[in-house]
Amino acid sequence: MAGPNSLHALIEALRRLPGVGVKSASRMAFHLLQHDREGAQLLSQALGQAATRVRHCSQCNTFTEGEVCDTCANPQRDRSKLCVVETPADQAALERTAAFKGLYFVLMGKLSPLDGIGPKDIGLAKLFERAQDGVVEEVILATNFTAEGEATAHVIGEAMKARGLRVTRLARGVPAGSELEYVDLGTIAHALVDRREK
Amino acid sequence: MAGPNSLHALIEALRRLPGVGVKSASRMAFHLLQHDREGAQLLSQALGQAATRVRHCSQCNTFTEGEVCDTCANPQRDRSKLCVVETPADQAALERTAAFKGLYFVLMGKLSPLDGIGPKDIGLAKLFERAQDGVVEEVILATNFTAEGEATAHVIGEAMKARGLRVTRLARGVPAGSELEYVDLGTIAHALVDRREK
């Protein structure tokens, strides 16, 4: 898009957002400048504030503005259980179930050797230290059931067992509400192996 | 996503971007805070600067930082021809052809009664005034070949003819490099009607 320098700079900056190419960035810039200047100013302020204020919880590594996040600071939570997830969004999904009253550790990523993401790039050292506070008894691995999530769970699981902690993994099986005919083979195989007494 | 207030504010602000829902906004916020704080600060500044500096060219209505845009200020351009387009992106597409040496008028939208966009919401009054400077002889309608673009072209064309100006429209026909077998009926019908001497 031909135009003034500050418009070019805005389009270039918008392209740093994940999944935004030059066409989307131009469309976003056009929309903000033509129809929503208030939104542009609001987003500008929100970005500046978040970038300076948001840091990592010293306990669970998730995003927070204070030293410790609300979940870790909550005295009602069961401190003997530590659930390990990849991202704050995964943690939010678990919280919505209201089925877990323990604490979390948020890796902020997953092991992915092909992308050059090793143990140092996600919060593994911090997790190992956190899990050895003498209060945590069980580490629940809730990384995703993808190749990388499984590998991450394996590495953490082995390290935790070596430290004498109980290690569990979210159950794999047939999703609620689904028909067997449409469930993939691997899932059915896992559901058979992990079958439970009725 | 559970989290601190400035993170919530950032996600809400990102949702004002066109085509961005709550999932995309969360993903963008996570990416910027976890992997690209520099990008977040850069985007914050670019938004602030563009929102305060960018305004509309007094001649052609496109985005500019000065009183008049570079194209309108260029003494080499043919001031007797005025090409009407919907957006700066459409203008850029025409400029890339290097086949037009006249000036432009950028509507910054199109008539769209169903969305409540009437003549006052796009730059029609400004266009009518612009076209009557006594220098413009021909108005070339280059709005898109969609239902709304065609309607916009029709309204502008009638008004311009009433003011005694020559009005033309971009030719419709078979796109360069295409095979008739795969071209839609409407396009072939137009190409037949608008056939030219060889």
Side-chain angles (χ1 to χ4, degrees), chain B:
Chain B
M1 180 147 64
N5 289 336
S6 56
L7 181 60
H8 277 289
L10 175 56
I11 293 172
E12 281 309 302
L14 284 165
R15 287 185 64 186
R16 292 179 84 135
L17 293 171
V20 175
V22 67
K23 288 244 170 187
S24 301
S26 302
R27 199 161 44 91
M28 288 171 172
F30 179 80
H31 174 82
L32 289 174
L33 293 176
Q34 185 66 14
H35 303 295
D36 194 10
R37 297 246 175 170
E38 188 197 334
Q41 292 286 18
L42 208 126
L43 180 53
S44 170
Q45 287 157 22
L47 281 161
Q49 290 196 353
T52 48
R53 286 189 197 167
V54 172
R55 51 186 184 142
H56 293 281
C57 172
S58 63
Q59 298 272 304
C60 77
N61 201 38
T62 196
F63 291 132
T64 177
E65 281 175 34
E67 166 74 12
V68 173
C69 75
D70 291 349
T71 311
C72 288
N74 184 348
Q76 312 265 296
R77 311 286 306 209
D78 176 357
R79 310 189 94 74
S80 70
K81 290 184 174 57
L82 192 67
C83 181
V84 180
V85 294
E86 292 178 16
T87 64
D90 294 336
Q91 180 186 358
L94 284 160
E95 282 292 283
R96 277 196 292 276
T97 68
F100 180 66
K101 293 293 164 218
L103 291 177
Y104 292 90
F105 189 88
V106 185
L107 295 169
M108 293 288 180
K110 53 185 177 281
L111 291 177
S112 182
L114 290 179
D115 301 319
I117 300 172
K120 283 178 188 160
D121 301 297
I122 60 175
L124 285 198
K126 195 169 169 184
L127 166 61
F128 295 162
E129 198 193 315
R130 169 72 185 88
Q132 292 182 96
D133 67 349
V135 183
V136 172
E137 292 164 11
E138 178 182 355
V139 173
I140 300 158
L141 302 171
T143 54
N144 289 319
F145 287 82
T146 57
E148 289 142 345
E150 293 278 21
T152 308
H154 179 77
V155 169
I156 296 170
E158 292 301 304
M160 291 296 153
K161 277 189 239 167
R163 285 161 173 81
L165 293 163
R166 184 180 170 213
V167 177
T168 57
R169 177 92 169 105
L170 286 192
R172 263 179 300 216
V174 181
S178 62
E179 296 176 51
L180 284 186
E181 183 181 352
Y182 303 109
V183 174
D184 71 288
L185 289 183
T187 300
I188 295 181
H190 275 297
L192 267 171
V193 172
D194 293 353
R195 69 191 183 278
R196 43 180 290 181
E197 298 294 337
K198 184 73 185 170

Side-chain angles (χ1 to χ4, degrees), chain A residues 25-51:
Chain A
S26 302
R27 198 161 45 91
M28 287 171 173
F30 178 80
H31 174 82
L32 289 174
L33 293 175
Q34 185 66 12
H35 303 294
D36 193 12
R37 297 247 174 170
E38 189 196 331
Q41 293 285 18
L42 209 125
L43 180 53
S44 170
Q45 287 156 21
L47 281 161
Q49 291 196 353

